[in-house]
Amino acid sequence: MQNEIIERLIEQFRTLPGVGYKSAQRYAYSIIEGSKQRAENFSHAILEAKSKIGFCKTCGNFTDEEICPICKRRNHKIVCVVKEPKDVISMEKVKDYEGVYHVLFGTLSPLENRGPDDIRIRELLDRVGSEGVEEVIMATNPDVEGDATAMYISKLLKPLGVKVTRLAQGVSMGSDLEYADEVTLSRAMEERREIK
Amino acid sequence: MQNEIIERLIEQFRTLPGVGYKSAQRYAYSIIEGSKQRAENFSHAILEAKSKIGFCKTCGNFTDEEICPICKRRNHKIVCVVKEPKDVISMEKVKDYEGVYHVLFGTLSPLENRGPDDIRIRELLDRVGSEGVEEVIMATNPDVEGDATAMYISKLLKPLGVKVTRLAQGVSMGSDLEYADEVTLSRAMEERREIK
């Protein structure tokens, strides 16, 4: 009974990650009830982002230039390896990090049939081989796939004589031990530090 | 640190109801990572819906015609009053309902400063006065605002000699009494029916 023009807009919203029919319908109705100007701005923002945003030739992150602003200005001796562009935004909260990034666009996943050639590992090895990189920080997520990917990549990097590190894992600042899961607690115990 | 073209797209997604920054960012990245064709289809669907969809002159529901298909074909002696267009989609699940609708586009809400002149009550009174309506079914939501709106409208309609009804309230089919809230149970008791 839904009008087919509305149905087409709902279908477009449903292509967004994690959006079901009811949310898509709510979004579509909000466009129809909103102003003409807003619909035009929205429509234009989609086309502009798709046409102008590409990938940085060095780190792979989204950018509208050939080389992204981070790669242009920062220290290439330290490379922080992340799974996705949004992880760059997260890591940038660490104010005193002055190195650059390498975006893998995925992690190794036998279940989803994603192997080493499907993520940007080759490009990372090329960078480390040619740019005089001294340290590679593996900042993939602290989960099974992220850990496996970090281990796999570190084995390929070590013969190149580069230092490979991994983000520390443990209990979160401000959290309550009562609610920490046992894997997190075990890691925190294993990686405990001496107080000096 | 986010690119400003991407930021603009994120801001557009954030204008959708219930979408926060992280979801908007995920949607924006999905557009950038998706195909050019998909971005064009999405952009076009927004413009098309906004430019072609208007309001039915009779019931107020969304339509791309002057009079919507439901108003064109169905019995105007029974009018079901709903809060929003999506409620028409829900009510249409009642397969043997052959009447038409009236969309209020809101309910009375002193808290949100929305009074009788801000929703389509005037238009409903005009319809009932001129179209030979025999029954008006108040199908606003079974919540405080929906109930108050239904009561308010029914008081205006009764002098016009029309029958005004309200959707029955009670326990849901297939639900478990253990999990029914006390207001629902009280209503179900008050409105209990004799088994014949």
Side-chain angles (χ1 to χ4, degrees):
Chain A
M1 277 316 298
Q2 188 83 258
N3 178 289
E4 65 178 38
I5 295 173
I6 302 179
E7 198 60 61
R8 279 202 289 273
L9 182 54
I10 293 173
E11 282 312 308
Q12 289 300 327
F13 278 118
R14 286 199 69 186
T15 65
L16 298 172
V19 175
Y21 190 86
K22 282 194 187 294
S23 296
Q25 180 178 276
R26 204 161 65 235
Y27 301 161
Y29 286 3
S30 124
I31 292 290
I32 295 167
E33 290 175 28
S35 73
K36 189 157 173 280
Q37 187 60 52
R38 183 251 194 136
E40 283 168 3
N41 291 346
F42 206 138
S43 171
H44 178 256
I46 289 173
L47 287 184
E48 186 183 38
K50 183 61 207 169
S51 63
K52 294 196 184 158
I53 300 294
F55 304 102
C56 170
K57 277 202 169 176
T58 305
C59 71
N61 197 10
F62 296 140
T63 178
D64 58 342
E65 301 170 81
E66 194 167 289
I67 303 293
C68 77
I70 293 177
C71 283
K72 270 184 190 160
R73 294 189 204 112
R74 302 244 291 254
N75 178 4
H76 283 249
K77 288 191 175 152
I78 309 177
V79 177
C80 177
V81 177
V82 295
K83 181 186 176 193
E84 299 171 88
K86 74 178 167 64
D87 300 324
V88 173
I89 308 284
S90 300
M91 292 304 299
E92 282 294 285
K93 291 176 197 157
V94 181
K95 291 296 178 204
D96 50 1
Y97 178 64
E98 294 189 334
V100 291
Y101 293 92
H102 187 87
V103 183
L104 293 174
F105 281 96
T107 40
L108 300 176
S109 171
L111 277 176
E112 293 174 33
N113 207 15
R114 204 162 45 239
D117 296 335
D118 301 315
I119 62 177
R120 299 179 66 254
I121 293 180
R122 178 81 261 155
E123 290 85 343
L124 177 63
L125 299 179
D126 290 348
R127 278 179 84 174
V128 172
S130 66
E131 286 184 29
V133 174
E134 290 171 2
E135 179 178 355
V136 174
I137 304 167
M138 297 303 311
T140 49
N141 288 332
D143 55 21
V144 175
E145 290 183 1
D147 278 349
T149 306
M151 285 304 295
Y152 180 88
I153 294 178
S154 69
K155 277 182 190 156
L156 296 175
L157 288 173
K158 278 180 185 158
L160 302 176
V162 67
K163 182 177 169 191
V164 185
T165 56
R166 178 97 174 101
L167 288 187
Q169 292 180 23
V171 288
S172 303
M173 266 301 290
S175 66
D176 190 321
L177 285 191
E178 187 180 350
Y179 301 109
D181 64 288
E182 57 184 66
V183 179
T184 296
L185 284 173
S186 303
R187 284 287 179 108
M189 277 297 264
E190 277 168 32
E191 302 190 9
R192 66 190 181 276
R193 289 155 158 259
E194 193 179 344
I195 303 168
K196 285 172 189 168
Chain B
M1 279 314 300
Q2 188 85 256
N3 178 289
E4 66 178 37
I5 295 174
I6 302 180
E7 199 59 61
R8 278 202 289 272
L9 181 55
I10 292 173
E11 282 312 307
Q12 289 300 327
F13 278 118
R14 286 198 69 183
T15 65
L16 297 173
V19 175
Y21 190 87
K22 283 195 186 292
S23 296
Q25 179 177 276
R26 203 161 66 235
Y27 301 162
Y29 286 3
S30 126
I31 293 290
I32 296 168
E33 290 175 27
S35 73
K36 190 157 173 279
Q37 186 61 52
R38 183 251 194 137
E40 284 169 1
N41 291 345
F42 206 138
S43 173
H44 178 256
I46 289 173
L47 286 184
E48 188 183 37
K50 183 61 207 167
S51 63
K52 293 195 184 160
I53 300 294
F55 304 103
C56 170
K57 278 203 167 174
T58 305
C59 71
N61 197 10
F62 295 141
T63 177
D64 58 342
E65 302 169 83
E66 195 167 289
I67 304 293
C68 77
I70 292 178
C71 284
K72 270 184 190 161
R73 294 190 205 111
R74 302 243 292 253
N75 179 2
H76 283 247
K77 290 191 173 149
I78 309 177
V79 177
C80 177
V81 177
V82 294
K83 181 186 176 194
E84 299 172 88
K86 73 177 167 65
D87 300 324
V88 174
I89 309 282
S90 300
M91 292 304 299
E92 282 294 286
K93 291 177 198 157
V94 181
K95 290 298 177 203
D96 49 2
Y97 178 65
E98 293 189 334
V100 291
Y101 293 92
H102 187 86
V103 183
L104 293 172
F105 281 95
T107 41
L108 299 176
S109 172
L111 277 177
E112 293 174 34
N113 206 14
R114 206 162 43 239
D117 296 334
D118 301 315
I119 62 176
R120 299 180 67 257
I121 293 181
R122 179 80 259 154
E123 291 85 343
L124 177 63
L125 299 178
D126 290 347
R127 277 179 84 175
V128 172
S130 67
E131 286 183 30
V133 175
E134 291 172 0
E135 179 177 356
V136 174
I137 305 167
M138 297 304 310
T140 48
N141 287 333
D143 54 22
V144 176
E145 290 184 0
D147 278 348
T149 307
M151 285 305 295
Y152 180 88
I153 293 178
S154 69
K155 276 179 191 157
L156 296 175
L157 287 173
K158 277 179 187 160
L160 303 177
V162 68
K163 182 177 169 191
V164 185
T165 56
R166 177 96 174 103
L167 287 188
Q169 292 180 24
V171 288
S172 303
M173 267 300 291
S175 66
D176 191 320
L177 285 190
E178 187 180 351
Y179 301 108
D181 65 287
E182 58 185 63
V183 180
T184 297
L185 283 174
S186 304
R187 284 289 179 107
M189 277 296 265
E190 277 169 31
E191 301 192 10
R192 66 189 180 275
R193 290 157 157 254
E194 192 180 344
I195 301 169
K196 286 174 188 164

